[in-house]
Amino acid sequence: MTDPAPAPAPVLAEPIPDFHTKPTLSGTRVLLRPVTADDLPALLPMFHDPEASRLTGNHAADDGPDEARLRKWYATRGEQDDRLDLAVVDRATGNVVGEVVLNLWDQGNESCNFRICLVPGTYGKGLGTEATRLIVGYGFEELGLHRVSLEVYAFNPRARRAYEKAGFVAEGVLRDALLWEGERVDATVMSILAPEWARHRGLPVVERLSGS
Ligand SMILES: CC(C)(COP(=O)(O)OP(=O)(O)OC[C@H]1O[C@@H](n2cnc3c(N)ncnc32)[C@H](O)[C@@H]1OP(=O)(O)O)[C@@H](O)C(=O)NCCC(=O)NCCS
């Protein structure tokens, strides 16, 4: 008598990331916590500042921010189960200084897009790099993502540098991706993959800028 054929191995579904839980993440310089409508007054300068609009390629800001729409937007971030929107708090002052977001979740490919914007006047103090490390680390270590990617415009070397310091790697150029005030601008796609994150956890070896 021959042995019965082995039962087929069960197909295990990939665990679904828990986007519904909105965490508070603490670093040395910043704290990230769920964003709410009460944060709108602190965040509004991001939407009023023409330079921030340019750096993020936000054409929608051309007519000025629609505060009622934004209030509704931030009031509903806590209910979203396919994205994570966190306010960035400067621990030195307790002020909300921006937002970080994991969005465009692609379940089949276990990936997300990342974006960040700080309010004018808070740039260049290391807040953005740390906020990036905190939320991206959460994406890999708690949500189980495999890939986190972003796009950065050629005229934004500060953002690119912050992303590189957190471990993002440039992988290609989207030519003429943005049309801003008559000028066409390239965007660089950058990403981090889970095995890379496991190696450096947001602290890759990066070249120092000359003079820094
Ligand atoms: C992009 C952003 C999140 C970065 O956060 P940040 O707190 O300003 O950045 P950090 O201080 O953490 O790091 C900036 C790095 O860029 C470097 N830098 C600044 N200006 C630079 C320039 N012109 N060229 C190259 N590097 C530059 C800084 O020296 C620093 O690197 P270092 O620590 O090695 O010296 C923030 O500036 C921001 O919100 N800007 C407006 C909106 C925006 O650009 N969003 C991103 C869209 S892709």
Side-chain angles (χ1 to χ4, degrees), residues 5 27 53 86 108 143 148 159:
S53 299
L86 299 175
L143 297 176
V148 177

Side-chain angles (χ1 to χ4, degrees), residues 18 56 97 99 103 108 129 140 147 149 167 195 205 210:
D18 174 13
T56 54
V97 294
E99 65 174 347
N103 62 353
T129 302
F140 287 120
R147 170 184 161 90
S149 63
V205 178
S210 57

Side-chain angles (χ1 to χ4, degrees), residues 33-108:
R33 59 139 177 85
V35 72
T36 72
D38 291 343
D39 297 318
L40 181 58
L43 296 174
L44 264 182
M46 291 184 327
F47 300 97
H48 279 293
D49 183 48
E51 180 63 0
S53 299
R54 184 179 80 100
L55 292 169
T56 54
N58 182 12
H59 286 296
D62 291 352
D63 302 326
D66 176 341
E67 290 193 30
R69 196 187 64 80
L70 285 171
R71 176 159 285 280
K72 211 174 197 173
W73 174 261
Y74 286 114
T76 53
R77 293 310 84 198
E79 304 157 13
Q80 309 302 312
D81 58 8
D82 62 352
R83 54 182 289 148
L84 180 61
D85 299 73
L86 299 175
V88 181
V89 179
D90 181 349
R91 294 188 64 169
T93 60
N95 294 336
V96 170
V97 294
E99 65 174 347
V100 280
V101 181
L102 288 175
N103 62 353
L104 307 181
W105 174 45
D106 178 343
Q107 181 175 2

Side-chain angles (χ1 to χ4, degrees), residues 52 55-56 116-118 122-130 151-153 156-159 161-163 165 209 212:
L55 292 169
T56 54
I116 179 169
C117 192
L118 302 183
T122 64
Y123 309 157
K125 297 195 284 184
L127 306 180
T129 302
E130 189 179 76
E151 290 173 21
V152 58
Y153 296 120
N156 199 350
R158 179 179 55 230
R161 174 73 180 160
Y163 299 147
K165 286 194 299 171
L209 294 174
S212 69

Side-chain angles (χ1 to χ4, degrees), residues 132-155:
T132 300
R133 287 184 179 125
L134 285 170
I135 192 170
V136 170
Y138 182 86
F140 287 120
E141 294 173 18
E142 302 299 329
L143 297 176
L145 297 175
H146 177 72
R147 170 184 161 90
V148 177
S149 63
L150 60 81
E151 290 173 21
V152 58
Y153 296 120
F155 53 42

